[in-house]
Amino acid sequence: MKSNTINIEELKNKSKLYRKTIIEMIYKAKVGHPGGSLSCIDILNVLYNTRIDRSEENKDRLILSKGHVTPALFSVFMDLGYIEKSEINTFRQINSRLQGHPDRNKIKEIDANTGLLGQGLSIGVGAALAKKLKNDNDHNVYVIIGDGEMHEGQIWEALMEGAHYKLNNLIVFLDYNKLSSKGNCNEVMNLEPIHDRIKSFNWHIEEINGNDIEEILQVLEKIDSITDKPKFIIANTIKGKGVSFMENNPKWHSGGLNDEQYKKAIEELN
Amino acid sequence: MNYKLVSTRDYIGKVLIEMQKKHKNLVVIDSDLASSVKSNEFAEVYPNNFFEMGIAEQSSMSSVCGFAMEGFIPIYVNFSIFVTGTVWTQLRQACYSNFNFKIIGSHPGMDNGPDGATHHALEDIALSRVIPNMTVFTPSDMNELKACVEEALKINGPVYIRTPRDTVPILHDENCSFHTGKAEILEDDGNDIAIIFEGSSSKEAYEGFLSLKELGYKNKLINIRSIKPIDSELINKLSSRVKGIVTVENHNVSGGLNGVISEEIVKSKNNIIVKCVGVNNTFTESGKTSDVKKKYGLSSEKVVEKALEIIKGL
């Protein structure tokens, strides 16, 4: 865990900055996934700025299982200096490090390649077991999954395994924005009652507003004391959060912005 | 003919135990088949380094990425069909990450005869070799398996090791060596035909070679060992020496050994004829392993038949 301190106002300002970077990156590429990037950015912000310690050989890990939201990840990486700000123009372009989905061989701070949905939580189970085996008790494995992604059967395999091995160092954030590619995620395939389902798998479960910095901070602090179970946080979020015309609109699951939309989005985020 | 027949599968656990003594950071992943693939022997000696993931092959495959990320060398041991086919997109994404992991497939081709078509892995060479970053080895006997796993552990990346379940002849001694991208010329009587086999069809290839020898033909018998990378240099040399090649594989003849040798011959100096022995685009059925192999095209008689076709210009 990170030892530096950062106050809530600073974190809120970072979320604003990251949202603008996401919009700029997708505007320049003319393609990307703005809706899901904007819904999960507050979680990534808090994790990378208050929790994830990359300074030593043993590290906190973050598996971005919903790999299509690279604009969110890269906006944080630019702020942390893992990638150059100038690379913003290269997202999804040929010869770029900034791939459509995460590539650890291009950017070393990426822990695992993801993009084929449903696999990240299993990767997290492996990493959490490995940390136990080598007695690395000071670092956690964080996995960000999407709600549409939970339709994948492999997620439920990993949920079984995480509980079976009581992996208290495995922390899942479900970016529950309720919208997948086609529209209402639960109309596509119902996940509810999600809270009861996850609980019945014997995970510790919490539910928060995943776009509220303070709630994210509080829940992380709260679950630190849970030692006998893996932890699952239902983060209720808004797809497209922060840009009025994108919010709760499945059209913005993927796509580019025209000049007018870009201008309006940035104005709102300022 | 006089040689001892053994199941290489029976030595997987012993080889893993030996490797752990040298490497320390191995972990073995299982999907509830440890007793069938003999990784249970490893589990008894190194229980902390053995992880049961349940009959959840996809999650098992992806979990290796997490172990590799943390500096372990995970080895996922399972039936060939599960460890390549059931988990193909998980394997592909793990290879895209280029993590350092190994998979061992223990029941290749028709080696699990009685279980029938569902369990006959006739596509695993094709499925594995087509993935970038992947190395594919096909050892035959237990001595070669040991040398092969040792070699695989020198490679910083994914390796698929295809291990015979059916009994095969012991063709190597305990101190045999194994090199990535190098085939092994087991017999070299002359330049009529080159019989090239992958590890789990060594018996049929060897017996076919000996039958042809009795008929007076002077052939070469080649153990390909490393499917990917393939020994291009040797194949290229063969193309200007022998009359033709017969490939022998416990696999579909599309995409497997015949596929890779044909790809090499097309690139080589001389487009000599390549004939195949193996399963030809069909699902199989249950039966005694030897009966299934014979019925579906893998036999020493077929090796002789194909070699004679080339020699007679058919």
Side-chain angles (χ1 to χ4, degrees):
Chain A
M1 186 171 155
K2 272 203 161 133
S3 53
N4 63 325
T5 50
I6 181 165
N7 68 40
I8 289 168
E9 279 315 304
E10 283 176 295
L11 285 169
K12 284 182 179 170
N13 286 335
K14 281 188 185 293
S15 272
K16 267 190 194 173
L17 169 72
Y18 297 160
R19 285 195 159 86
K20 279 190 275 187
T21 311
I22 289 167
I23 293 297
E24 193 180 343
M25 201 179 301
I26 295 172
Y27 168 67
K28 286 179 171 161
K30 298 184 173 61
V31 63
H33 294 79
S37 298
L38 292 168
S39 65
C40 73
I41 189 59
D42 301 299
I43 301 164
L44 287 176
N45 175 8
V46 173
L47 288 177
Y48 274 107
N49 285 301
T50 71
R51 287 268 159 172
I52 293 172
D53 183 1
R54 310 284 299 183
S55 62
E56 293 168 3
E57 196 190 334
N58 281 330
K59 295 171 172 57
D60 290 296
R61 300 290 182 184
L62 188 138
I63 320 290
L64 189 63
S65 194
K66 47 177 295 179
H68 51 283
V69 296
T70 39
L73 187 71
F74 296 153
S75 69
V76 180
F77 278 15
M78 280 178 192
D79 183 38
L80 295 175
Y82 296 165
I83 51 180
E84 299 294 324
K85 290 198 169 61
S86 59
E87 292 182 84
I88 195 167
N89 300 316
T90 70
F91 175 57
R92 284 184 176 241
Q93 306 302 306
I94 198 75
N95 298 324
S96 171
R97 298 200 295 164
L98 309 196
Q99 294 292 295
H101 296 82
D103 184 347
R104 69 186 283 269
N105 293 305
K106 290 191 163 56
I107 299 169
K108 69 178 170 51
E109 285 79 10
I110 290 172
D111 284 319
N113 294 12
T114 51
L116 298 174
L117 292 177
Q119 300 181 15
L121 186 48
S122 305
I123 298 172
V125 166
L129 282 168
K131 284 195 177 296
K132 297 271 180 199
L133 181 58
K134 66 181 185 183
N135 293 318
D136 174 15
N137 300 313
D138 300 327
H139 300 92
N140 286 323
V141 179
Y142 300 93
V143 183
I144 315 283
I145 61 175
D147 44 16
E149 183 177 17
M150 290 203 73
H151 296 157
E152 298 276 5
Q154 189 182 342
I155 291 280
W156 303 88
E157 295 181 358
L159 286 170
M160 278 190 296
E161 292 160 352
H164 180 85
Y165 285 106
K166 300 183 172 63
L167 296 174
N168 63 336
N169 55 351
L170 180 60
I171 297 162
V172 175
F173 276 88
L174 168 64
D175 179 18
Y176 200 14
N177 60 36
K178 326 282 190 304
L179 294 173
S180 57
S181 175
K182 198 171 158 188
N184 184 322
C185 177
N186 286 327
E187 280 177 14
V188 173
M189 188 54 62
N190 195 9
L191 292 169
E192 292 294 343
I194 187 77
H195 190 287
D196 293 346
R197 284 180 176 177
I198 304 299
K199 201 173 176 191
S200 75
F201 272 65
N202 214 13
W203 282 58
H204 176 82
I205 188 146
E206 295 284 347
E207 194 157 353
I208 60 161
N209 175 353
N211 293 128
D212 185 315
I213 298 287
E214 287 170 60
E215 284 196 32
I216 302 167
L217 285 165
Q218 281 161 8
V219 82
L220 284 167
E221 201 165 320
K222 185 179 171 193
I223 60 174
D224 274 342
S225 59
I226 309 294
T227 56
D228 60 343
K229 285 178 181 172
K231 299 146 194 183
F232 194 104
I233 298 156
I234 299 174
N236 291 301
T237 57
I238 290 171
K239 196 151 183 167
K241 173 74 179 172
V243 179
S244 61
F245 59 89
M246 289 184 175
E247 285 191 3
N248 289 318
N249 185 350
K251 179 177 166 284
W252 290 100
H253 172 76
S254 66
L257 297 85
N258 63 29
D259 292 350
E260 197 185 330
Q261 288 163 333
Y262 169 67
K263 208 176 142 201
K264 187 163 188 296
I266 294 295
E267 271 171 18
E268 286 186 19
L269 292 167
N270 279 327
Chain B
M1 192 171 47
N2 212 356
Y3 50 64
K4 201 178 161 194
L5 289 167
V6 294
S7 170
T8 311
R9 183 279 308 252
D10 294 346
Y11 292 82
I12 291 174
K14 293 172 184 63
V15 168
L16 292 174
I17 290 166
E18 204 162 322
M19 295 302 134
Q20 181 72 21
K21 285 176 193 160
K22 290 182 196 167
H23 291 272
K24 304 292 178 205
N25 61 340
L26 305 186
V27 291
V28 173
I29 311 297
D30 178 40
S31 300
D32 196 32
L33 278 172
S35 57
S36 297
V37 302
K38 300 298 174 194
S39 57
N40 58 341
E41 294 176 18
F42 177 91
E44 280 169 25
V45 183
Y46 296 106
N48 294 337
N49 290 54
F50 177 84
F51 292 91
E52 176 57 67
M53 305 303 280
I55 310 170
E57 291 89 357
Q58 298 174 349
S59 197
S60 304
M61 183 67 242
S62 296
S63 77
V64 305
C65 300
F67 285 102
M69 187 191 296
E70 290 294 320
F72 292 96
I73 304 177
I75 305 181
Y76 179 30
V77 193
N78 206 333
F79 287 11
S80 301
I81 188 69
F82 304 143
V83 87
T84 58
T86 307
V87 304
W88 195 77
T89 58
Q90 287 74 17
L91 175 60
R92 180 175 176 269
Q93 189 150 270
C95 288
Y96 178 37
S97 276
N98 204 18
F99 282 119
N100 184 15
F101 68 93
K102 320 298 163 195
I103 54 181
I104 297 181
S106 68
H107 290 54
M110 297 165 279
D111 275 16
N112 191 1
D115 271 355
T118 52
H119 285 55
H120 293 166
L122 297 167
E123 310 86 359
D124 58 319
I125 294 175
L127 288 170
S128 55
R129 81 178 179 94
V130 78
I131 305 176
N133 294 337
M134 195 76 183
T135 297
V136 181
F137 293 152
T138 57
S140 55
D141 61 37
M142 72 286 200
N143 293 326
E144 194 179 11
L145 173 69
K146 190 183 130 195
C148 169
V149 176
E150 252 168 10
E151 178 75 3
L153 290 171
K154 290 179 196 158
I155 295 170
N156 185 18
V159 182
Y160 174 44
I161 298 167
R162 190 180 204 249
T163 314
R165 161 69 182 90
D166 196 7
T167 56
V168 288
I170 302 174
L171 300 173
H172 300 88
D173 63 35
E174 280 182 23
N175 301 315
C176 74
S177 59
F178 191 107
H179 301 289
T180 305
K182 285 286 167 203
E184 173 190 43
I185 302 172
L186 276 171
E187 304 282 345
D188 193 357
D189 289 352
N191 291 323
D192 286 337
I193 303 292
I195 299 165
I196 305 179
F197 69 87
E198 55 76 32
S200 73
S201 47
S202 61
K203 182 168 172 281
E204 293 77 10
Y206 198 22
E207 288 178 355
F209 170 85
L210 292 175
S211 299
L212 286 160
K213 188 173 184 153
E214 279 175 27
L215 294 171
Y217 296 105
K218 297 186 188 315
N219 299 327
K220 295 181 198 301
L221 181 66
I222 294 164
N223 176 13
I224 200 70
R225 308 179 114 192
S226 174
I227 296 270
K228 184 186 178 186
I230 192 80
D231 193 340
S232 302
E233 196 186 338
L234 176 69
I235 311 292
N236 192 34
K237 256 189 224 167
L238 288 174
S239 75
S240 57
R241 289 189 189 166
V242 297
K243 296 189 179 85
I245 291 173
V246 175
T247 58
V248 191
E249 63 195 302
N250 188 12
H251 190 273
N252 194 320
V253 293
S254 299
L257 178 63
N258 183 259
V260 71
I261 299 296
S262 300
E263 288 161 18
E264 288 303 309
I265 286 296
V266 171
K267 289 184 277 187
S268 67
K269 287 183 203 147
N270 299 294
N271 277 345
I272 58 168
I273 191 160
V274 181
K275 294 236 177 192
C276 56
V277 171
V279 178
N280 196 350
N281 192 31
T282 184
F283 286 107
T284 54
E285 65 184 84
S286 288
K288 204 164 87 180
T289 298
S290 56
D291 291 343
V292 178
K293 284 183 175 174
K294 195 160 190 173
K295 177 168 177 180
Y296 287 91
L298 177 58
S299 65
S300 58
E301 291 83 359
K302 277 281 172 195
V303 175
V304 173
E305 182 188 314
K306 295 293 169 188
L308 291 179
E309 280 178 12
I310 297 173
I311 288 163
K312 291 173 183 167
L314 295 172

